[in-house]
Amino acid sequence: MKTYKFLFSSKWAGYFAMALIFAIACVALGNWQMSRRNDVVANIAKITANYSGTPVDYNSVSANFDHLDPAKEWTQVTLKGTYVTADERVVRNRPLNGTPGYEVLVPLKLENGDTVIVDRGWLPIGNKEAGHPDVVPQPEPGIVNVVGRLKPAEPKLDRGAPDGQLASIELNDYAAQLSYPIKTGAYAQLASESPAAATNPISFPAPSIDEGSHLSYAMQWICFGVLAFVGFGYAARMQRRSDEYDEMEAAESGVPVEEIYGRGSAFHPRRIKKIRKPGAKPTAEEEEDALLDSQGY
């Protein structure tokens, strides 16, 4: 009986190399998915710790409004000052839950002289004038106590905006439109304010803490890599069984295996030929089979 010596042939070495390359690619893709999951898990941990954490005083985190530490995003900060409503802006193209709309930015001049930008919430698109909200709710005048969550400034977009609007929360562009300096590294997303305005823009929902499907995708890729070797092993087993059957048929007929079946493989099953004794005249069916073989069938 034949063994698995055929695995050392160049053909089967090629099959193994293909299975190995496929498995390595699957492992790499699995690791990439795990890396993405680790980033998501780290972000969820940050949100969980900061979003509903105890608010901290502005003075203890003021440097983050110049250069935001990524670990401080969503931290609740207490601010005390006066809104400069004359310099408020609406940010265009800000969808919320699939609905187009705007966000309302207002400078808040603090008691220590610093000015930070507060995102007071979201407004739907208007019906009265295209490209503008119908009404922009105003905060209470005078000194207000604000609790806002730290958010990083956004990159500049290569598009313009009408007067009184911004294309994104790119605070350097905003600062260029004002006659006084503002903090441009981060802004505060409104959580609460006192005294509260009679009407406020719509508050933002809490950020998602869903891990997504990265872990399941990673496991799928690893399984695909394992299946490559399972398939290779199954094909090798089928080849060995085919070789054993060939040897058995040859032993019974006295005809060499090569003359009965030729060279085949588990990946390309051959048509079984009838055994003919040496010197016997071929039948019409055998002649037809020979013709089909010569034509590649």
Side-chain angles (χ1 to χ4, degrees):
M1 294 293 181
K2 284 192 177 292
T3 62
Y4 288 99
K5 290 182 178 179
F6 61 85
L7 292 177
F8 296 98
S9 67
S10 59
K11 177 177 67 176
W12 280 89
Y15 293 152
F16 181 79
M18 290 172 60
L20 181 62
I21 292 171
F22 179 77
I24 291 173
C26 288
V27 170
L29 288 169
N31 288 338
W32 172 63
Q33 286 290 349
M34 286 300 296
S35 176
R36 293 186 64 188
R37 177 182 180 270
N38 292 339
D39 292 341
V40 171
V41 170
N43 189 53
I44 289 173
K46 177 178 66 177
I47 293 171
T48 303
N50 296 345
Y51 188 82
S52 299
T54 302
V56 298
D57 184 72
Y58 168 79
N59 292 324
S60 65
V61 292
S62 59
N64 285 277
F65 282 90
D66 293 312
H67 302 283
L68 178 61
D69 178 358
K72 296 294 185 180
E73 185 180 3
W74 299 110
T75 297
Q76 295 197 96
V77 183
T78 57
L79 309 164
K80 187 175 183 179
T82 303
Y83 281 116
V84 186
T85 54
D87 292 325
E88 75 178 6
R89 299 288 188 274
V90 295
V91 188
R92 300 171 57 82
N93 300 315
R94 309 296 286 196
L96 181 65
N97 297 326
T99 302
Y102 310 88
E103 292 180 30
V104 182
L105 304 183
V106 187
L108 180 68
K109 189 175 290 292
L110 306 180
E111 291 182 320
N112 68 354
D114 291 347
T115 301
V116 301
I117 300 302
V118 177
D119 187 341
R120 299 194 66 246
W122 182 85
L123 297 173
I125 58 175
N127 297 315
K128 297 178 181 178
E129 183 180 359
H132 294 77
D134 287 340
V135 177
V136 180
Q138 297 298 299
E140 288 293 303
I143 295 176
V144 293
N145 293 293
V146 173
V147 176
R149 295 185 175 93
L150 276 169
K151 290 285 291 175
E154 297 176 356
K156 182 180 179 65
L157 298 180
D158 189 20
R159 64 185 183 210
D163 290 342
Q165 298 189 11
L166 299 172
S168 69
I169 308 180
E170 205 288 311
L171 298 179
N172 288 301
D173 278 356
Y174 197 174
Q177 301 177 21
L178 305 175
S179 59
Y180 48 87
I182 62 172
K183 298 290 185 178
T184 57
Y187 65 97
Q189 189 181 88
L190 181 65
S192 65
E193 59 187 4
S194 178
T199 305
N200 268 334
I202 297 171
S203 299
F204 296 104
S208 173
I209 54 174
D210 181 14
E211 286 188 19
S213 302
H214 300 300
L215 180 59
S216 63
Y217 289 156
M219 294 299 101
Q220 287 176 18
W221 281 117
I222 298 299
C223 288
F224 290 155
V226 172
L227 285 175
F229 292 106
V230 172
F232 178 84
Y234 177 78
R237 175 58 180 164
M238 290 296 99
Q239 180 66 58
R240 180 183 177 183
R241 291 180 62 181
S242 177
D243 290 346
E244 290 174 349
Y245 181 78
D246 290 353
E247 285 192 351
M248 182 178 64
E249 288 291 311
E252 292 177 356
S253 64
V255 180
V257 173
E258 290 77 7
E259 293 186 15
I260 300 176
Y261 295 102
R263 299 182 180 276
S265 78
F267 295 108
H268 299 284
R270 54 181 174 272
R271 184 174 67 254
I272 297 177
K273 298 179 180 180
K274 294 182 179 180
I275 299 173
R276 179 169 53 84
K277 294 182 179 180
K281 183 178 179 181
T283 64
E285 184 179 357
E286 289 175 336
E287 291 178 347
E288 181 182 355
D289 287 343
L291 177 60
L292 291 175
D293 285 342
S294 67
Q295 294 177 348
Y297 291 99

